[in-house]
């Protein structure tokens, strides 16, 4: 077989991530590669840290991107903070809470699960009851924005309750960062991780993390060494730390870091508040169109994530056939259901650079056409005007 240069099709990415990458970010990727200890690169790293601190609203010195995807940021938090025999309370309301449990157990800890209904926010009363029974728990972990369902939880309140019970907190902000408020210092989150490919409009493969002093104190006072050499913060900080001379730890993904620098710069230029407002407005426009058509959201309004819209697949409609027609005929990707919601919902992302009026227009128009063809019983001709009304308001 003759293999040629790979030229991917140009798609519109409205699934659960990766989302559309900003053209400035793609351009940044193609800049000349330099050494990972080059003084020019070190200057870029310092700026990148500052931009990340802004995005996360934190003054934490220990703020940096892990050189791997969001799952590695998750793992970095757990392997550094969870010691063998530590009891960790994991609040679960979707797929990603389940992965936290896996992490705790692989670190030799024991996970106590606070199970919540999928599609709902984490119930603070359930956490309170669990903390009463498990007074020896050391850490509480939670997902801020559950990408598997589109539900958002009140992290500020949950963290406060955890602290009142002498627990540190680990927060998954992979899908929330850049799309909805994430205020690490104000909410007093101890350890947080995110991902580059959701609302930051960057390519996949990097995971911003941030640890406060309280969390670092636990890392420094560990009895056993962190079992992962690569993710051991004590070692990584030799490269990402400030002041002292940078030491080789691993070869940083140079060009990917240019891309994240550019993505965060774009976010700073727009302003966090403006980015949050854009995500909200575009969500309301998409929602108006989807609901006018007759599709229903699975998450109740108060808990809905603007950047991840989960709607029920109409009865009798072939889930995969719809998604493949959207992809083949409109170059549009929307997400399938994950875990317990597989085959039951579509997850329509409006994340980062993908959260734009033209994308909503494409999605609503394409869905109306494909579902209409399939006899899905949706209302024709009303979705676009409903959507437009919100966009013009
Ligand atoms: C996408 C996602 C992750 C995992 O990120 P990867 O970059 O795919 O490893 C973790 N948590 C949540 C909530 C996510 O949406």
């Amino acid at each position: 077989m003759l293999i040629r240069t790979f030229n991917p099709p140009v798609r519109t990415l409205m699934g659960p991530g990766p989302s559309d990458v900003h053209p400035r970010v793609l351009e940044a990727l193609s800049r000349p590669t330099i050494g990972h200890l080059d003084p020019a690169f070190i200057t870029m790293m310092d700026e990148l840290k500052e931009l990340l601190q802004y995005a996360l609203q934190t003054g934490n010195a220990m703020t940096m991107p892990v050189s791997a995807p969001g799952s590695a940021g998750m793992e970095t938090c757990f392997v550094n903070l969870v010691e063998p025999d530590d009891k960790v309370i994991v609040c679960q309301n979707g797929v990603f809470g389940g992965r936290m449990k896996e992490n705790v157990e692989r670190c030799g800890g024991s996970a106590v699960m606070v199970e919540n209904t999928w599609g709902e926010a984490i119930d603070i009363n359930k956490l309170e009851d669990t903390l009463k029974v498990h007074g020896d728990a050391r850490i509480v972990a939670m997902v801020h924005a559950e990408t598997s369902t589109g539900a958002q939880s009140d992290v500020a309140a949950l963290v406060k309750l955890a602290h009142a019970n002498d627990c540190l907190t680990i927060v998954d902000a992979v899908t929330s960062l850049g799309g909805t408020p994430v205020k690490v210092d104000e909410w007093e989150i101890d350890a947080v991780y995110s991902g580059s490919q959701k609302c930051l409009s960057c390519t996949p493969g990097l995971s911003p993390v941030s640890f406060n002093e309280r969390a670092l104190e636990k890392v420094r006072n560990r009895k056993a060494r962190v079992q992962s050499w690569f993710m051991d913060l004590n070692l990584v900080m030799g490269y990402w730390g400030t002041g002292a001379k940078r030491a080789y730890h691993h070869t940083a993904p140079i060009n990917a870091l240019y891309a994240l620098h550019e993505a965060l710069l774009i976010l700073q230029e727009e302003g966090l508040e403006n980015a949050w407002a854009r995500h909200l407005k575009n969500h309301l426009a998409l929602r108006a169109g989807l609901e006018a058509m007759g599709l229903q959201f699975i998450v109740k309004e108060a808990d809905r994530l603007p950047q991840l819209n989960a709607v029920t697949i109409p009865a009798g409609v072939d889930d995969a056939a719809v998604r493949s027609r959207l992809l083949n005929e409109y170059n549009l990707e929307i997400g399938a259901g994950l875990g317990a919601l597989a085959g039951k919902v579509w997850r329509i992302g409006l994340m980062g650079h993908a959260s734009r009026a033209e994308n909503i227009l494409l999605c609503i128009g394409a869905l109306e056409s494909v579902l209409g063809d399939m006899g899905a019983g949706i209302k024709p001709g009303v979705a676009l005007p409903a959507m437009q009304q919100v966009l013009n308001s």
Side-chain angles (χ1 to χ4, degrees):
M1 194 170 77
L2 176 62
I3 297 177
R4 297 175 197 277
T5 300
F6 176 63
N7 279 304
V10 179
R11 310 280 203 207
T12 299
L13 301 179
M14 295 181 71
S19 56
D20 284 352
V21 176
H22 197 289
R24 272 173 60 184
V25 173
L26 290 176
E27 191 201 307
L29 273 170
S30 67
R31 292 184 192 139
T33 304
I34 58 177
H36 66 280
L37 292 171
D38 187 309
F41 190 70
I42 304 273
T43 304
M44 194 281 305
M45 286 167 72
D46 286 338
E47 289 179 1
L48 178 48
K49 272 172 76 169
E50 194 178 316
L51 289 164
L52 263 183
Q53 286 168 331
Y54 167 71
L56 289 158
Q57 296 283 282
T58 182
N60 289 343
M62 220 324 293
T63 301
M64 54 141 205
V66 173
S67 301
S71 305
M74 179 188 279
E75 200 138 344
T76 298
C77 290
F78 284 91
V79 293
N80 280 280
L81 287 173
V82 180
E83 288 188 80
D85 302 326
D86 273 355
K87 189 180 268 189
V88 180
I89 297 180
V90 176
C91 304
Q92 180 169 18
N93 62 340
V95 166
F96 291 98
R99 292 196 181 174
M100 287 178 152
K101 176 176 190 273
E102 274 284 323
N103 270 273
V104 171
E105 291 171 354
R106 285 168 193 239
C107 294
S110 66
V112 176
M113 302 304 287
V114 179
E115 298 289 352
N116 295 267
T117 309
W118 288 35
E120 290 181 9
I122 296 163
D123 182 347
I124 194 162
N125 298 315
K126 284 189 181 168
L127 175 59
E128 189 165 24
D129 292 345
T130 307
L131 282 163
K132 273 184 199 140
V133 180
H134 299 278
D136 55 340
R138 307 290 312 276
I139 297 172
V140 174
M142 68 198 76
V143 176
H144 182 207
E146 241 311 337
T147 324
S148 62
T149 67
Q152 172 160 233
S153 293
D154 185 353
V155 162
L158 294 164
V159 167
K160 204 168 174 189
L161 176 62
H163 286 166
N165 288 274
D166 292 326
C167 287
L168 287 173
T169 49
I170 297 176
V171 173
D172 177 319
V174 176
T175 281
S176 44
L177 188 63
T180 40
V182 177
K183 300 181 177 180
V184 171
D185 286 359
E186 191 183 316
W187 298 350
E188 298 184 6
I189 299 170
D190 301 293
V192 62
Y193 60 91
S194 189
S196 49
Q197 79 278 27
K198 311 254 166 139
C199 294
L200 296 181
S201 320
C202 188
T203 43
L206 291 170
S207 178
V209 296
S210 185
F211 283 60
N212 69 11
E213 261 312 305
R214 204 166 11 195
L216 288 177
E217 179 101 357
K218 185 164 192 321
V219 179
R220 284 189 209 107
N221 292 323
R222 287 178 63 103
K223 286 185 219 79
R225 283 195 304 186
V226 173
Q227 63 269 36
S228 160
W229 175 86
F230 184 71
M231 290 173 191
D232 185 340
L233 283 181
N234 299 302
L235 305 177
V236 180
M237 282 311 277
Y239 181 53
W240 272 99
T242 37
K245 213 171 163 295
R246 310 292 170 101
Y248 168 65
H249 176 260
H250 66 279
T251 308
I254 312 288
N255 294 55
L257 291 173
Y258 301 162
L260 185 60
H261 180 282
E262 192 69 15
L264 292 167
L265 185 61
I266 294 167
L267 180 63
Q268 193 190 57
E269 286 168 6
E270 180 179 19
L272 270 178
E273 285 81 6
N274 294 330
W276 299 333
R278 171 171 54 85
H279 280 88
L280 183 60
K281 181 162 187 175
N282 287 334
H283 155 72
L284 292 174
L286 178 76
R287 168 198 161 180
L290 294 173
E291 289 186 340
M293 221 184 273
L295 296 176
Q296 266 150 17
F297 279 74
I298 64 159
V299 176
K300 75 169 196 279
E301 194 170 347
D303 300 338
R304 252 174 233 164
L305 273 174
Q307 59 273 53
L308 197 285
N309 299 267
V311 291
T312 310
I313 299 172
V317 168
D318 182 342
D319 168 25
V322 171
R323 284 184 293 106
S324 88
R325 277 195 64 183
L326 292 176
L327 194 66
N328 295 329
E329 295 168 27
Y330 298 89
N331 276 311
L332 171 64
E333 179 179 281
I334 66 166
L338 195 61
L341 294 172
K344 297 184 179 138
V345 302
W346 287 314
R347 293 179 299 152
I348 305 175
L350 282 172
M351 298 182 180
H353 185 58
S355 179
R356 300 198 306 284
E358 60 261 46
N359 282 6
I360 309 171
L361 188 70
L362 169 68
C363 180
I364 294 285
L367 263 180
E368 178 169 328
S369 164
V370 170
L371 289 176
D373 275 359
M374 291 184 164
I378 52 136
K379 267 198 219 147
V382 287
L384 288 174
M387 179 207 91
Q388 219 88 47
Q389 198 179 3
V390 177
L391 284 177
N392 295 338
S393 66

